[in-house]
């Protein structure tokens, strides 16, 4: 079906509409063989709070952006190659239900659908697209994934030293290796993580010691289940926006 739609006028028109919705700031999306599989609004778990984002699933990429005017205008376009994507279901907890993790080497995050059926359809379509791409390319699934950031609201104190309380002066930071919320003194070091950045990035002291000693896999966080938890009310918005590639997230 995908091959049949690839060169259809209807598919070309749909992709053109998506391009126009992102405006001049968005990247061109029309290429030979690309098919728009589906679209919809998902709730993305961002560092400060869950936020609605518009997602578009193509047969080779996943695109999302901020909603300015529903069905008409979006900004801050993000493009994720599906070859690098793996997804994991998240258990329902509190107000955040029907969720799953989208994991890539450069960025990983949790999203939530409105219903269980919608979640199932999204996950099935994404897995099918990834499987088809890997089958055609002969590549193997990526084993390296960026950590999913723990939301600011889940940490009132540093998750490493367990002592430093976060205040408007003592700001939150995120370790790029484990995703923990940490204080400044516990994350003063930088380390080169080539899959995430061409420059050394902020990591916590714990991960730095493990990375420096060559025990890289040992410092990877396994807190996948924590992202299904309903975030508590944040005590303040003193998060480090300069420490986030997109301050809105």
């Amino acid at each position: 079906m995908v091959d049949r739609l690839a060169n259809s006028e209807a598919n070309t028109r749909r992709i053109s509409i998506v391009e126009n919705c992102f405006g001049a700031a968005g990247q061109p999306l029309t290429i030979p063989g690309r098919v728009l599989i589906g679209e919809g609004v998902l709730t993305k778990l961002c560092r400060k709070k869950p936020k609605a984002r518009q997602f578009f699933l193509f047969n080779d990429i996943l695109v999302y952006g901020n909603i300015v005017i529903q069905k008409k205008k979006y900004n801050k376009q993000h493009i994720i190659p599906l070859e690098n994507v793996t997804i994991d279901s998240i258990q329902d907890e509190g107000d955040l239900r029907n969720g799953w993790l989208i994991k890539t080497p450069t960025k990983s995050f949790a999203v939530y659908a409105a219903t269980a059926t919608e979640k199932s359809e999204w996950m099935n379509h994404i897995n099918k697209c990834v499987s088809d791409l890997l089958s055609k390319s002969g590549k193997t699934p990526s084993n390296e994934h960026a950590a999913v950031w723990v939301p600011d609201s889940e940490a009132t104190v540093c998750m490493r030293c367990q002592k430093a309380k976060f205040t408007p002066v003592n700001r939150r930071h995120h370790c790029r290796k484990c995703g923990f919320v940490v204080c400044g003194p516990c994350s003063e070091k930088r380390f080169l993580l080539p899959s995430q950045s061409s420059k050394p990035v902020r990591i916590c002291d714990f991960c730095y010691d493990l990375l420096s000693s060559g025990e890289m896999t040992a410092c990877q966080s396994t807190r996948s289940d924590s992202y299904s938890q309903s975030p508590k009310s944040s005590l303040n918005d003193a998060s480090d926006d300069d420490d986030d590639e997109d301050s809105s997230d």
Side-chain angles (χ1 to χ4, degrees), residues 84-194:
N84 299 327
V85 169
T86 58
I87 57 176
D88 289 325
S89 181
I90 301 175
Q91 292 184 350
D92 293 343
E93 179 109 14
D95 295 333
L96 294 177
R97 307 177 66 83
N98 311 312
W100 68 97
L101 296 177
I102 296 175
K103 302 189 295 184
T104 80
T106 56
K107 186 175 184 178
S108 301
F109 52 90
V111 293
Y112 297 85
T115 66
T117 299
E118 187 179 342
K119 169 187 174 177
S120 178
E121 290 177 349
W122 270 102
M123 293 188 70
N124 288 338
H125 284 307
I126 292 173
N127 276 327
K128 179 65 165 58
C129 290
V130 173
S131 177
D132 289 347
L133 282 171
L134 294 177
S135 177
K136 290 179 181 179
S137 67
K139 295 180 180 179
T140 56
S142 176
N143 291 322
E144 183 180 1
H145 305 110
V148 181
W149 285 15
V150 176
D152 286 0
S153 55
E154 285 196 19
T156 57
V157 299
C158 174
M159 298 178 69
R160 284 304 182 196
C161 70
Q162 299 291 324
K163 296 178 182 178
K165 293 184 178 181
F166 295 119
T167 68
V169 176
N170 188 32
R171 305 173 70 189
R172 291 171 171 85
H173 302 270
H174 276 84
C175 171
R176 297 306 197 274
K177 183 60 181 175
C178 67
F180 279 18
V181 184
V182 291
C183 64
C186 283
S187 59
E188 292 179 338
K189 297 182 175 66
R190 300 289 191 276
F191 200 92
L192 181 62
L193 302 177

